[in-house]
Amino acid sequence: MRILVLGSGAREHAILLALKREGGHELFAAPGNAGIAADATLVPRLDANDPGAVTEYANDEDIDLVIIGPEAPLVAGVADALRERGIPVFGPGRAAAALEGSKAFAKRIMDAAGVPTGGATRAATRAEVDAALDAYGAPYVVKADGLAAGKGVIVTEDRAAALAHAESFLDAGPVLVEEFLSGPEVSLFFVSDGDTVRALSPAQDFKRAHDGDAGPNTGGMGAYSPLPWLADRFGSERAFIERVTAEVAEPVIRQLDAEGTPFIGLLYAGLILTGGGARLTGEGADTEIKVIEFNARFGDPETQVVLARLESPLSRLLMSAASGTLEDEPEPTFSPAPAITVVLASEGYPESPVTGRPIEGLRAAASTAGVHLAHAATAGPDAPGGDLISTGGRVLSVIATGETFALARERAYAALGEITLEGGHYRRDIAARVAD
Ligand code: AMP
Ligand code: GLY
C-alpha cells in the first residue's frame, strides 16, 4: 500500500516503523522529522493541518490509506475532508475527535453512555473554581477544557497553585475541577471502525517529568507494556481487556454512533483502577475501572511499546477500521516479551525547553541489542556529516525489548548512555517497579 502518516513525533515514527517491518509498502510522512526520513519519504511542504491540501495530495499521489497521528489535524477536520473524497483514513472526524479536544464533551458522552468516571464540575469564574475546589477537597485536580498537549492538567495538594492554574486558563474559557482518583493508571487503545472495536495490549505511561513521579505533568516520559500486575487483579490481561471493552469502549462507540458522529480511528482510554489494590481472588471484583481521559489518537509514548510488541500487520488493522470491516479481523496478537521506552527530553522540558543543540551517539545507541529509536524533535545537521539537532521538548524515544523487563531496562539505559545532548534529561525509573 501507499500509506501517508501525518505528524512528526516519535509516535508517528513508531507507526511508520511498524508498517516498514511488514515490508511491501511505500511510506510517506508529512511533515516527519530527521529520523523519520530514514524510513519514509518526507513531504515537508504539505501542511498536515490543512484538510484541502492533504486531500489533494492523497488524491494526486494515489495514497491508499492516510493515518493521522496527532490531534491537531483531527480537530482541523482533515479526516472529514478525506472521507468526503472517499480516501480511506484512520482517524475520527472533527465532531468525534471532540472526545479528546473537549473534556466537557467527553464527560457528557460518558454520562450518556453510562461509562464510569470521576466527578467533575465545570467552572467559568474564579468564584466557581473556589467553590468546586472546596467541594472536592485536596488533592486538587484542575484541567483546561481544550487541547493543551498534556500540559493543561494540574494535580496538587496546594490550593493556591490549583487556583492559579485555573485562573491562567479562565480567560480562554471554563475549566474542569475534578474529583481526585487514586490508583494505578492504564492506557488501553482500541482500534474502531465506528461500530466494532479491537483492543491493543495495555501500557502504562509515566506522565511526570522526574523520577518517583515528581515534577510537573508532561506529554509522557516513558512507558512499558504489558502490565504483568493486571493478572493479579483481574485474573488475566484478557479478562481486563474484556471488561474495559464492555464497560467503556463499546458504550462510547455506540453513543457516538447514535449521535451521528461515528468514531473511526484510535480510541485511547486513559484509565485509573481505583479500590482493591491488594492481590485479589475475586478477579477484580472490588476494583473499579474509571476513565480519566479519552484521546482520539495513539498515545505518545505508549505507542512505541505497544507497536514494538504487535505481531499482526498494523496496516491491515488500520485499513479495516478505515473501511468499516473490522468485524472480519481477528484480535491482534502481541509478543509476550516486554517492551519499555524512555523519552530523552531537552533541558527545561516541559516548562521552557532549550532547543538547537547537537545530539551525538545515535548510531551507537541504535546498535545496542534489542534497541531501536523513534525520533520526535530532531532536525538534519547544519553541515553534511554533522550531528542532528534537537528542535523541541521531547527529542526522541529509546525503545527496548527483552525476555524480561530487567533486560529491556538494561538495554534501554545502556543505549541512552551512548547519547549526548547537553542538558538532556530522562527518567531512570521507567518500568523499575515491574523489573525483578
Ligand atoms: P489527563 O490529561 O486528563 O490525562 O491528565 C494527565 C494526568 O493527570 C493523568 O494521567 C493523571 O496522572 C493525572 N490526573 C488527571 N485527572 C486526574 C484525576 N481526576 N485524579 C487523579 N489524577 C488525575
Ligand atoms: N501519553 C499520553 C498521551 O499521549 O496523551
Side-chain angles (χ1 to χ4, degrees), residues 2-26:
R2 290 168 64 82
I3 306 175
L4 169 65
V5 175
L6 301 183
S8 64
R11 163 186 50 210
E12 287 76 20
H13 199 178
I15 291 169
L16 284 156
L17 287 168
L19 296 169
K20 187 179 174 186
R21 271 204 314 267
E22 293 175 21
H25 299 305
E26 285 177 83

Side-chain angles (χ1 to χ4, degrees), residues 11 205 207 219-220 268 293 295 297-302:
R11 163 186 50 210
D205 181 18
K207 290 256 165 65
Y268 166 141
E293 64 160 349
N295 293 312
R297 48 157 181 89
F298 279 101
D300 189 348
E302 296 97 314

Side-chain angles (χ1 to χ4, degrees), residues 34-104:
I36 289 176
D39 300 300
T41 303
L42 299 191
V43 196
R45 271 160 307 158
L46 177 59
D47 178 357
N49 296 325
D50 180 337
V54 173
T55 306
E56 284 316 310
Y57 178 84
N59 191 60
D60 293 350
E61 296 297 320
D62 291 324
I63 298 294
D64 299 302
L65 173 66
V66 179
I67 300 170
I68 302 183
E71 57 269 52
L74 301 172
V75 172
V78 171
D80 303 271
L82 286 162
R83 237 167 244 130
E84 220 159 275
R85 271 290 264 284
I87 299 168
V89 50
F90 184 77
R94 186 207 309 252
L99 204 57
E100 168 165 1
S102 163
K103 304 242 179 217

